[in-house]
Amino acid sequence: MADRDASEPPGPAAAAELRNFLSEVPAPAAVGHRIVHSGPRLTGHTLIDARVRALLADVADLAPLHVTPALPVVDAARELLPDVPHVACFDTVFHKDLPAQARTYAVPERWRAEYGLRRYGFHGLSYSWALQRTAQALGRPVDNLQVVLVHLGGGCSACAVRNGRSVDTTMGLTPLEGLVMSRRSGSLDPGALLWLQRRHGLSTDELDDALHQHSGLLGLSGTSGDTRDLVRARAEGDAAAALALATFTLSCRRGIASMAASLDRLDALVFTGEIGEDQPEVREEICSALTVLGVQGGLLVPELGDLMREGLRRIDQAGRGVPVLVVATGETQQIAAETRRVLGM
């Protein structure tokens, strides 16, 4: 069953694929669904019923790359397995108790009160898993750790955790804010968007498509949003690839440093996500320029197979500064754990 993993977002054939899968495996006792955005009215992982399903549809436009394609799969699974509990597991729940100063945008009160404009934060399932593994690796309780967690993949973000709780994060109302990403721009001067609309006549749809699909590493390099491709291209003298990687790693360092500003100390820097676990060049370029935080370069490079088998590795040189860890991405395992918790299993 573990080999039956789709690498592409679900499309029109998802229901048939799910039906075929269910015909070949033991009947499940429950289904856990990753839903990126909970919106303002759902603050915990929860059973999906008609009310919850309607609330999910209402917030789909806040994470269109994620929630919109996820909902047809939720519907298909509920139709195929009507007598099995279905649980929505949200990436936003990890950040639900962000301090007011971390979740609040400096915008007019009406925007905040009537429109609900605030920071939510994402990658929470990944962060939950990585935090528990980090505590085990360091032999310290979660509630006595102050760490910066960095999820680098198609989407990228950083998070400050103080004593087991998220106290700051780089993503905001939507998963578009923050670090430079594979195809997403990350944070951008809002004045630039107004200028593009007024001076160049770009529509909302054009901006949406460009910022979500054609920016980030892809927009900078013109060739690829995959850091593996860009590392190879840079070695062959591709200046655009070199600029893309330099911009990306600077963005990551800025994000990490800003998260550290919400902590009293830095007990560890933790990488996860596909880039975080499988791109040693990126980790090295980030860490070697973070000496101001006590982080050092010269990182160890674990074999990916060993990392995936063991689940985590400490990669800093012993005695040379802040511990640096890599945790294999565990969103699926965290969904299973949260689903069991909701059902009291």
Side-chain angles (χ1 to χ4, degrees):
M1 283 187 285
D3 293 335
R4 295 290 295 272
D5 180 53
S7 59
E8 296 299 318
E17 292 168 355
L18 183 57
R19 184 180 296 105
N20 292 339
F21 173 73
L22 291 172
S23 70
E24 299 171 6
V25 300
V31 181
H33 298 267
R34 181 195 178 201
I35 306 294
V36 165
H37 210 307
S38 65
R41 298 175 64 184
L42 297 169
T43 58
H45 309 300
T46 185
L47 279 167
I48 300 174
D49 56 17
R51 170 184 168 273
V52 169
R53 176 61 179 81
L55 290 173
L56 296 179
D58 192 49
V59 300
D61 61 341
L62 290 174
L65 298 184
H66 303 88
V67 177
T68 300
L71 292 183
V73 181
V74 170
D75 295 339
R78 293 178 71 204
E79 182 177 343
L80 291 167
L81 297 165
D83 300 319
V84 168
H86 294 255
V87 175
C89 300
F90 297 108
D91 273 305
T92 46
V93 166
F94 186 73
H95 309 287
K96 67 182 178 64
D97 294 320
L98 279 174
Q101 65 270 25
R103 69 172 183 264
T104 303
Y105 287 113
V107 295
E109 193 272 341
R110 181 181 180 186
W111 294 11
R112 292 179 274 119
E114 293 187 28
Y115 305 156
L117 190 61
R118 53 156 291 186
R119 174 171 281 106
Y120 283 92
F122 302 93
H123 289 136
L125 294 164
S126 175
Y127 288 145
S128 295
W129 181 261
L131 179 61
Q132 296 295 330
R133 306 289 84 70
T134 298
Q136 293 172 5
L138 298 179
R140 297 174 61 173
V142 167
D143 60 7
N144 189 33
L145 276 180
Q146 296 198 36
V147 298
V148 172
L149 307 173
V150 189
H151 180 105
L152 302 179
C156 302
S157 71
C159 173
V161 174
R162 178 198 292 265
N163 303 332
R165 302 170 75 91
S166 171
V167 294
D168 204 357
T169 188
T170 56
M171 282 182 167
L173 175 74
T174 76
L176 188 57
E177 186 181 1
L179 310 184
V180 171
M181 305 178 217
S182 177
R183 293 171 175 263
R184 281 174 262 169
S185 64
S187 291
L188 185 67
D189 178 357
L193 303 181
L194 299 175
W195 176 76
L196 288 167
Q197 287 181 312
R198 290 172 177 163
R199 183 70 176 266
H200 297 283
L202 271 65
S203 69
T204 302
D205 288 343
E206 287 173 314
L207 290 172
D208 187 294
D209 181 59
L211 296 175
H212 280 101
Q213 301 287 358
H214 305 288
S215 297
L217 289 168
L218 176 62
L220 287 165
S221 68
T223 56
S224 177
D226 190 321
T227 54
R228 293 168 297 185
D229 296 336
L230 299 178
V231 166
R232 288 191 293 267
R234 181 178 62 181
E236 296 169 359
D238 186 326
L243 175 62
L245 287 168
T247 304
F248 177 71
T249 54
L250 174 59
S251 171
C252 292
R253 294 196 300 273
R254 285 172 171 166
I256 292 166
S258 69
M259 293 302 99
S262 290
L263 303 176
D264 300 320
R265 62 180 191 274
L266 185 57
D267 294 329
L269 174 62
V270 183
F271 290 95
T272 190
E274 296 91 336
I275 297 172
E277 67 193 25
D278 189 26
Q279 198 70 69
E281 296 89 349
V282 168
R283 295 194 302 260
E284 181 64 32
E285 288 168 37
I286 292 171
C287 291
S288 62
L290 278 178
T291 54
V292 68
L293 296 181
V295 177
Q296 301 289 329
L299 301 174
L300 305 176
V301 182
E303 290 291 333
L304 184 60
D306 294 339
L307 172 64
M308 302 308 290
R309 183 170 56 255
E310 298 168 16
L312 62 88
R313 278 291 182 93
R314 183 168 171 176
I315 59 173
D316 59 291
Q317 300 280 358
R320 287 193 57 196
V322 170
V324 179
L325 292 88
V326 180
V327 177
T329 310
E331 289 161 318
T332 303
Q333 297 96 315
Q334 193 65 33
I335 290 168
E338 302 295 356
T339 298
R340 292 188 180 97
R341 219 179 329 266
V342 168
L343 299 176
M345 297 169 67

